[in-house]
Short mmCIF file of all heavy atoms in Angstrom, two decimals:
data_model
loop_
_atom_site.label_atom_id
_atom_site.label_comp_id
_atom_site.label_asym_id
_atom_site.label_seq_id
_atom_site.Cartn_x
_atom_site.Cartn_y
_atom_site.Cartn_z
N PRO A 25 7.10 -14.85 -0.43
CA PRO A 25 7.87 -15.37 0.74
C PRO A 25 8.76 -14.36 1.41
O PRO A 25 9.40 -14.61 2.42
CB PRO A 25 8.59 -16.56 0.23
CG PRO A 25 8.76 -16.33 -1.23
CD PRO A 25 7.61 -15.49 -1.62
N LYS A 26 8.90 -13.13 0.80
CA LYS A 26 9.85 -12.22 1.26
C LYS A 26 9.35 -11.23 2.34
O LYS A 26 10.11 -10.76 3.19
CB LYS A 26 10.33 -11.32 0.07
CG LYS A 26 11.22 -12.05 -0.89
CD LYS A 26 11.72 -11.16 -2.05
CE LYS A 26 12.83 -11.95 -2.77
NZ LYS A 26 14.02 -12.07 -2.06
N ALA A 27 8.10 -10.97 2.34
CA ALA A 27 7.58 -9.90 3.17
C ALA A 27 6.15 -10.23 3.75
O ALA A 27 5.44 -11.08 3.23
CB ALA A 27 7.51 -8.58 2.37
N MET A 28 5.81 -9.42 4.68
CA MET A 28 4.42 -9.56 5.34
C MET A 28 3.32 -8.95 4.37
O MET A 28 2.28 -9.43 4.29
CB MET A 28 4.38 -8.84 6.69
CG MET A 28 3.08 -9.09 7.45
SD MET A 28 3.10 -8.23 9.05
CE MET A 28 4.49 -9.11 9.83
N TYR A 29 3.72 -7.89 3.71
CA TYR A 29 2.76 -7.16 2.79
C TYR A 29 3.49 -6.97 1.49
O TYR A 29 4.69 -6.87 1.34
CB TYR A 29 2.44 -5.80 3.37
CG TYR A 29 1.81 -5.81 4.76
CD1 TYR A 29 2.62 -5.44 5.86
CD2 TYR A 29 0.51 -6.20 4.92
CE1 TYR A 29 2.01 -5.50 7.16
CE2 TYR A 29 -0.08 -6.26 6.23
CZ TYR A 29 0.66 -5.88 7.33
OH TYR A 29 0.14 -5.94 8.56
N TYR A 30 2.56 -6.92 0.41
CA TYR A 30 3.04 -6.76 -0.92
C TYR A 30 2.36 -5.54 -1.57
O TYR A 30 1.11 -5.48 -1.55
CB TYR A 30 2.77 -7.94 -1.82
CG TYR A 30 3.10 -7.78 -3.21
CD1 TYR A 30 4.42 -7.74 -3.75
CD2 TYR A 30 2.10 -7.52 -4.24
CE1 TYR A 30 4.75 -7.57 -5.01
CE2 TYR A 30 2.44 -7.27 -5.56
CZ TYR A 30 3.71 -7.36 -5.96
OH TYR A 30 4.06 -7.10 -7.30
N LEU A 31 3.13 -4.60 -2.05
CA LEU A 31 2.64 -3.33 -2.66
C LEU A 31 2.90 -3.40 -4.18
O LEU A 31 3.99 -3.43 -4.59
CB LEU A 31 3.28 -2.10 -2.00
CG LEU A 31 2.85 -0.75 -2.57
CD1 LEU A 31 1.39 -0.53 -2.22
CD2 LEU A 31 3.79 0.33 -2.03
N GLN A 32 1.80 -3.31 -4.90
CA GLN A 32 1.87 -3.37 -6.39
C GLN A 32 2.03 -1.98 -7.00
O GLN A 32 1.32 -1.12 -6.69
CB GLN A 32 0.64 -4.04 -6.96
CG GLN A 32 0.75 -4.20 -8.46
CD GLN A 32 1.87 -5.12 -8.92
OE1 GLN A 32 1.82 -6.32 -8.59
NE2 GLN A 32 2.87 -4.61 -9.58
N LEU A 33 3.16 -1.82 -7.74
CA LEU A 33 3.38 -0.59 -8.36
C LEU A 33 3.63 -0.81 -9.86
O LEU A 33 3.53 -1.89 -10.33
CB LEU A 33 4.57 0.13 -7.74
CG LEU A 33 4.42 0.47 -6.22
CD1 LEU A 33 5.80 0.90 -5.60
CD2 LEU A 33 3.35 1.53 -6.01
N GLU A 34 3.93 0.26 -10.57
CA GLU A 34 4.30 0.16 -11.98
C GLU A 34 5.53 0.96 -12.28
O GLU A 34 6.08 1.62 -11.34
CB GLU A 34 3.14 0.56 -12.89
CG GLU A 34 1.93 -0.34 -12.81
CD GLU A 34 0.85 -0.10 -13.78
OE1 GLU A 34 1.03 0.77 -14.70
OE2 GLU A 34 -0.24 -0.66 -13.69
N ASP A 35 6.16 0.82 -13.53
CA ASP A 35 7.45 1.43 -13.80
C ASP A 35 7.32 2.85 -14.23
O ASP A 35 8.26 3.42 -14.81
CB ASP A 35 8.18 0.56 -14.77
CG ASP A 35 7.52 0.55 -16.13
OD1 ASP A 35 6.34 0.98 -16.24
OD2 ASP A 35 8.20 0.07 -17.07
N ASP A 36 6.19 3.51 -14.14
CA ASP A 36 6.03 4.90 -14.57
C ASP A 36 5.22 5.72 -13.54
O ASP A 36 4.27 6.39 -13.93
CB ASP A 36 5.42 4.94 -16.03
CG ASP A 36 4.07 4.24 -16.08
OD1 ASP A 36 3.64 3.54 -15.11
OD2 ASP A 36 3.30 4.47 -17.11
N ILE A 37 5.58 5.60 -12.30
CA ILE A 37 4.90 6.30 -11.30
C ILE A 37 5.96 7.17 -10.40
O ILE A 37 7.18 6.82 -10.46
CB ILE A 37 4.06 5.41 -10.40
CG1 ILE A 37 4.99 4.33 -9.68
CG2 ILE A 37 3.01 4.75 -11.12
CD1 ILE A 37 5.42 4.61 -8.34
N ILE A 38 5.48 8.05 -9.68
CA ILE A 38 6.28 8.66 -8.64
C ILE A 38 5.50 8.58 -7.28
O ILE A 38 4.24 8.38 -7.27
CB ILE A 38 6.62 10.22 -8.91
CG1 ILE A 38 5.27 10.95 -9.14
CG2 ILE A 38 7.47 10.33 -10.08
CD1 ILE A 38 5.51 12.49 -9.24
N ALA A 39 6.31 8.68 -6.20
CA ALA A 39 5.68 8.52 -4.88
C ALA A 39 5.77 9.86 -4.14
O ALA A 39 6.68 10.69 -4.34
CB ALA A 39 6.43 7.45 -4.06
N LYS A 40 4.81 10.10 -3.26
CA LYS A 40 4.82 11.27 -2.40
C LYS A 40 5.95 11.22 -1.40
O LYS A 40 6.38 10.18 -0.99
CB LYS A 40 3.52 11.50 -1.69
CG LYS A 40 2.48 12.25 -2.58
CD LYS A 40 1.23 12.60 -1.70
CE LYS A 40 0.35 13.56 -2.57
NZ LYS A 40 -0.86 13.93 -1.79
N THR A 41 6.41 12.35 -0.91
CA THR A 41 7.31 12.42 0.24
C THR A 41 6.73 11.73 1.41
O THR A 41 5.56 11.86 1.71
CB THR A 41 7.62 13.88 0.58
OG1 THR A 41 8.22 14.53 -0.62
CG2 THR A 41 8.70 13.94 1.73
N MET A 42 7.54 10.90 2.05
CA MET A 42 7.11 10.16 3.27
C MET A 42 6.04 9.14 3.03
O MET A 42 5.33 8.75 3.89
CB MET A 42 6.68 11.15 4.36
CG MET A 42 7.82 11.99 4.97
SD MET A 42 7.25 13.04 6.30
CE MET A 42 6.89 11.76 7.57
N TYR A 43 5.98 8.71 1.77
CA TYR A 43 4.94 7.73 1.36
C TYR A 43 5.04 6.47 2.20
O TYR A 43 3.96 5.88 2.63
CB TYR A 43 4.98 7.40 -0.14
CG TYR A 43 6.04 6.34 -0.47
CD1 TYR A 43 5.87 5.05 -0.64
CD2 TYR A 43 7.39 6.80 -0.70
CE1 TYR A 43 6.78 4.13 -0.98
CE2 TYR A 43 8.36 5.96 -0.99
CZ TYR A 43 8.13 4.62 -1.15
OH TYR A 43 9.08 3.71 -1.46
N PHE A 44 6.26 5.99 2.47
CA PHE A 44 6.41 4.76 3.13
C PHE A 44 6.07 4.89 4.57
O PHE A 44 5.36 3.95 5.22
CB PHE A 44 7.87 4.30 2.97
CG PHE A 44 8.07 2.82 3.28
CD1 PHE A 44 8.16 1.90 2.27
CD2 PHE A 44 8.20 2.39 4.60
CE1 PHE A 44 8.38 0.57 2.49
CE2 PHE A 44 8.41 1.05 4.83
CZ PHE A 44 8.47 0.10 3.78
N THR A 45 6.36 6.01 5.18
CA THR A 45 5.96 6.21 6.59
C THR A 45 4.50 6.24 6.68
O THR A 45 3.87 5.69 7.64
CB THR A 45 6.54 7.56 7.10
OG1 THR A 45 7.97 7.58 6.94
CG2 THR A 45 6.19 7.85 8.51
N LYS A 46 3.81 6.90 5.73
CA LYS A 46 2.32 6.98 5.78
C LYS A 46 1.62 5.66 5.56
O LYS A 46 0.69 5.35 6.20
CB LYS A 46 1.86 7.98 4.70
CG LYS A 46 2.31 9.43 4.99
CD LYS A 46 1.96 10.39 3.85
CE LYS A 46 2.51 11.78 4.18
NZ LYS A 46 2.26 12.71 2.99
N ILE A 47 2.22 4.82 4.71
CA ILE A 47 1.70 3.52 4.49
C ILE A 47 1.83 2.67 5.75
O ILE A 47 0.87 2.01 6.33
CB ILE A 47 2.39 2.77 3.37
CG1 ILE A 47 1.98 3.42 2.03
CG2 ILE A 47 2.09 1.29 3.36
CD1 ILE A 47 2.73 2.90 0.82
N THR A 48 3.02 2.67 6.35
CA THR A 48 3.27 1.90 7.60
C THR A 48 2.33 2.34 8.74
O THR A 48 1.71 1.51 9.39
CB THR A 48 4.76 2.06 8.03
OG1 THR A 48 5.55 1.67 6.95
CG2 THR A 48 5.05 1.21 9.27
N ASP A 49 2.32 3.63 8.97
CA ASP A 49 1.38 4.18 10.00
C ASP A 49 -0.02 3.82 9.81
O ASP A 49 -0.80 3.46 10.74
CB ASP A 49 1.57 5.70 10.11
CG ASP A 49 2.95 6.08 10.64
OD1 ASP A 49 3.67 5.23 11.18
OD2 ASP A 49 3.24 7.28 10.55
N PHE A 50 -0.47 3.88 8.53
CA PHE A 50 -1.89 3.58 8.25
C PHE A 50 -2.23 2.09 8.46
O PHE A 50 -3.26 1.82 9.10
CB PHE A 50 -2.21 3.99 6.82
CG PHE A 50 -3.67 3.84 6.49
CD1 PHE A 50 -4.64 4.76 6.97
CD2 PHE A 50 -4.13 2.89 5.63
CE1 PHE A 50 -5.97 4.64 6.77
CE2 PHE A 50 -5.53 2.68 5.29
CZ PHE A 50 -6.46 3.57 5.88
N VAL A 51 -1.30 1.21 8.00
CA VAL A 51 -1.52 -0.20 8.22
C VAL A 51 -1.65 -0.57 9.67
O VAL A 51 -2.46 -1.30 10.10
CB VAL A 51 -0.43 -1.02 7.48
CG1 VAL A 51 -0.50 -2.51 7.85
CG2 VAL A 51 -0.59 -0.86 5.97
N HIS A 52 -0.66 0.02 10.42
CA HIS A 52 -0.61 -0.24 11.84
C HIS A 52 -1.88 0.33 12.63
O HIS A 52 -2.22 -0.12 13.75
CB HIS A 52 0.64 0.33 12.46
CG HIS A 52 1.86 -0.52 12.00
ND1 HIS A 52 3.15 0.03 12.13
CD2 HIS A 52 1.99 -1.72 11.43
CE1 HIS A 52 3.99 -0.93 11.67
NE2 HIS A 52 3.30 -1.96 11.24
N SER A 53 -2.51 1.36 12.02
CA SER A 53 -3.68 2.01 12.67
C SER A 53 -4.96 1.24 12.48
O SER A 53 -5.94 1.44 13.17
CB SER A 53 -3.85 3.39 12.14
OG SER A 53 -4.35 3.39 10.77
N ILE A 54 -4.94 0.29 11.57
CA ILE A 54 -6.13 -0.49 11.29
C ILE A 54 -6.28 -1.58 12.36
O ILE A 54 -5.40 -2.42 12.52
CB ILE A 54 -6.06 -1.18 9.91
CG1 ILE A 54 -5.96 -0.08 8.80
CG2 ILE A 54 -7.29 -2.01 9.60
CD1 ILE A 54 -5.74 -0.64 7.42
N THR A 55 -7.38 -1.47 13.11
CA THR A 55 -7.53 -2.39 14.27
C THR A 55 -7.93 -3.82 13.88
O THR A 55 -7.59 -4.78 14.52
CB THR A 55 -8.57 -1.80 15.23
OG1 THR A 55 -9.80 -1.58 14.49
CG2 THR A 55 -8.13 -0.48 15.81
N SER A 56 -8.69 -3.94 12.76
CA SER A 56 -9.11 -5.28 12.30
C SER A 56 -8.17 -5.79 11.21
O SER A 56 -7.67 -4.99 10.41
CB SER A 56 -10.56 -5.21 11.80
OG SER A 56 -10.91 -6.44 11.11
N ASN A 57 -7.93 -7.13 11.22
CA ASN A 57 -7.09 -7.66 10.13
C ASN A 57 -7.92 -8.18 9.08
O ASN A 57 -7.42 -8.83 8.10
CB ASN A 57 -6.21 -8.83 10.74
CG ASN A 57 -5.10 -9.19 9.83
OD1 ASN A 57 -4.45 -8.35 9.20
ND2 ASN A 57 -4.93 -10.54 9.71
N ASN A 58 -9.26 -7.91 9.08
CA ASN A 58 -10.19 -8.41 8.08
C ASN A 58 -10.31 -7.51 6.83
O ASN A 58 -11.39 -7.28 6.36
CB ASN A 58 -11.52 -8.60 8.75
CG ASN A 58 -12.49 -9.44 7.90
OD1 ASN A 58 -12.06 -10.32 7.16
ND2 ASN A 58 -13.77 -9.10 7.99
N TRP A 59 -9.15 -6.98 6.34
CA TRP A 59 -9.30 -6.20 5.15
C TRP A 59 -8.76 -7.01 3.96
O TRP A 59 -7.97 -7.88 4.09
CB TRP A 59 -8.43 -4.87 5.29
CG TRP A 59 -7.08 -4.95 5.78
CD1 TRP A 59 -6.68 -4.94 7.05
CD2 TRP A 59 -5.90 -5.08 4.97
NE1 TRP A 59 -5.30 -5.01 7.17
CE2 TRP A 59 -4.78 -5.13 5.88
CE3 TRP A 59 -5.62 -5.17 3.62
CZ2 TRP A 59 -3.46 -5.23 5.43
CZ3 TRP A 59 -4.29 -5.28 3.22
CH2 TRP A 59 -3.26 -5.29 4.07
N PHE A 60 -9.34 -6.67 2.79
CA PHE A 60 -9.10 -7.41 1.53
C PHE A 60 -7.85 -6.89 0.91
O PHE A 60 -6.89 -7.61 0.57
CB PHE A 60 -10.30 -7.16 0.65
CG PHE A 60 -10.46 -8.24 -0.42
CD1 PHE A 60 -10.33 -9.65 -0.14
CD2 PHE A 60 -10.77 -7.90 -1.68
CE1 PHE A 60 -10.50 -10.55 -1.14
CE2 PHE A 60 -10.93 -8.87 -2.69
CZ PHE A 60 -10.79 -10.16 -2.43
N TYR A 61 -7.83 -5.60 0.65
CA TYR A 61 -6.62 -4.88 0.19
C TYR A 61 -6.79 -3.42 0.47
O TYR A 61 -7.91 -2.93 0.72
CB TYR A 61 -6.32 -5.08 -1.27
CG TYR A 61 -7.34 -4.59 -2.22
CD1 TYR A 61 -7.30 -3.32 -2.73
CD2 TYR A 61 -8.29 -5.46 -2.73
CE1 TYR A 61 -8.29 -2.85 -3.68
CE2 TYR A 61 -9.24 -5.08 -3.67
CZ TYR A 61 -9.24 -3.75 -4.14
OH TYR A 61 -10.16 -3.29 -5.07
N ILE A 62 -5.71 -2.62 0.43
CA ILE A 62 -5.76 -1.19 0.67
C ILE A 62 -5.26 -0.44 -0.61
O ILE A 62 -4.27 -0.83 -1.19
CB ILE A 62 -4.81 -0.75 1.88
CG1 ILE A 62 -5.26 -1.58 3.12
CG2 ILE A 62 -4.96 0.71 2.12
CD1 ILE A 62 -4.31 -1.34 4.32
N GLU A 63 -6.05 0.56 -0.98
CA GLU A 63 -5.74 1.30 -2.22
C GLU A 63 -4.95 2.58 -1.73
O GLU A 63 -5.55 3.44 -1.04
CB GLU A 63 -6.94 1.75 -2.93
CG GLU A 63 -7.67 0.68 -3.72
CD GLU A 63 -8.76 1.16 -4.54
OE1 GLU A 63 -9.48 2.13 -4.13
OE2 GLU A 63 -8.96 0.69 -5.68
N PHE A 64 -3.74 2.75 -2.23
CA PHE A 64 -2.99 3.97 -2.03
C PHE A 64 -2.92 4.79 -3.27
O PHE A 64 -2.23 5.77 -3.35
CB PHE A 64 -1.56 3.65 -1.49
CG PHE A 64 -1.63 3.14 -0.03
CD1 PHE A 64 -1.51 1.81 0.17
CD2 PHE A 64 -1.73 3.99 1.00
CE1 PHE A 64 -1.57 1.28 1.46
CE2 PHE A 64 -1.76 3.56 2.29
CZ PHE A 64 -1.69 2.17 2.54
N SER A 65 -3.65 4.37 -4.29
CA SER A 65 -3.94 5.09 -5.51
C SER A 65 -5.20 4.50 -6.10
O SER A 65 -5.44 3.30 -5.98
CB SER A 65 -2.75 4.93 -6.52
OG SER A 65 -3.14 5.46 -7.79
N VAL A 66 -5.97 5.36 -6.74
CA VAL A 66 -7.22 4.85 -7.33
C VAL A 66 -7.05 4.36 -8.77
O VAL A 66 -8.02 3.89 -9.35
CB VAL A 66 -8.33 5.97 -7.33
CG1 VAL A 66 -8.58 6.32 -5.89
CG2 VAL A 66 -7.89 7.23 -8.14
N LEU A 67 -5.87 4.64 -9.40
CA LEU A 67 -5.64 4.17 -10.71
C LEU A 67 -5.33 2.80 -10.92
O LEU A 67 -4.31 2.27 -10.32
CB LEU A 67 -4.55 5.09 -11.39
CG LEU A 67 -4.83 6.57 -11.65
CD1 LEU A 67 -3.59 7.21 -12.34
CD2 LEU A 67 -5.99 6.68 -12.59
N GLY A 68 -6.07 2.02 -11.68
CA GLY A 68 -5.71 0.71 -12.12
C GLY A 68 -5.23 -0.19 -10.97
O GLY A 68 -5.91 -0.34 -9.91
N PHE A 69 -4.09 -0.78 -11.16
CA PHE A 69 -3.47 -1.69 -10.28
C PHE A 69 -2.40 -1.05 -9.43
O PHE A 69 -1.69 -1.73 -8.62
CB PHE A 69 -2.94 -2.94 -11.05
CG PHE A 69 -2.97 -4.24 -10.26
CD1 PHE A 69 -3.98 -4.51 -9.40
CD2 PHE A 69 -1.94 -5.15 -10.38
CE1 PHE A 69 -4.05 -5.67 -8.62
CE2 PHE A 69 -1.95 -6.34 -9.71
CZ PHE A 69 -2.97 -6.66 -8.80
N ILE A 70 -2.25 0.25 -9.59
CA ILE A 70 -1.15 0.96 -8.90
C ILE A 70 -1.52 1.14 -7.47
O ILE A 70 -2.62 1.57 -7.10
CB ILE A 70 -0.94 2.37 -9.57
CG1 ILE A 70 -0.43 2.20 -11.04
CG2 ILE A 70 0.10 3.18 -8.81
CD1 ILE A 70 -0.45 3.53 -11.83
N GLY A 71 -0.47 1.00 -6.59
CA GLY A 71 -0.71 1.27 -5.16
C GLY A 71 -1.64 0.43 -4.42
O GLY A 71 -2.13 0.83 -3.33
N LYS A 72 -1.83 -0.80 -4.88
CA LYS A 72 -2.64 -1.78 -4.10
C LYS A 72 -1.76 -2.62 -3.19
O LYS A 72 -0.79 -3.20 -3.61
CB LYS A 72 -3.34 -2.73 -5.15
CG LYS A 72 -4.18 -1.97 -6.21
CD LYS A 72 -5.25 -1.00 -5.57
CE LYS A 72 -6.11 -0.35 -6.64
NZ LYS A 72 -5.47 0.75 -7.35
#
């Protein structure tokens, strides 16, 4: 109930510089809302 989007992370990761800006820009660039989830890391459940 807190937010429009939920980003799953873990307690032993680091983020790239400007990661948040890149996520925001990428989400806003997607023209269709028919996506299931977006992977910002290919490992496990990180960055989904």
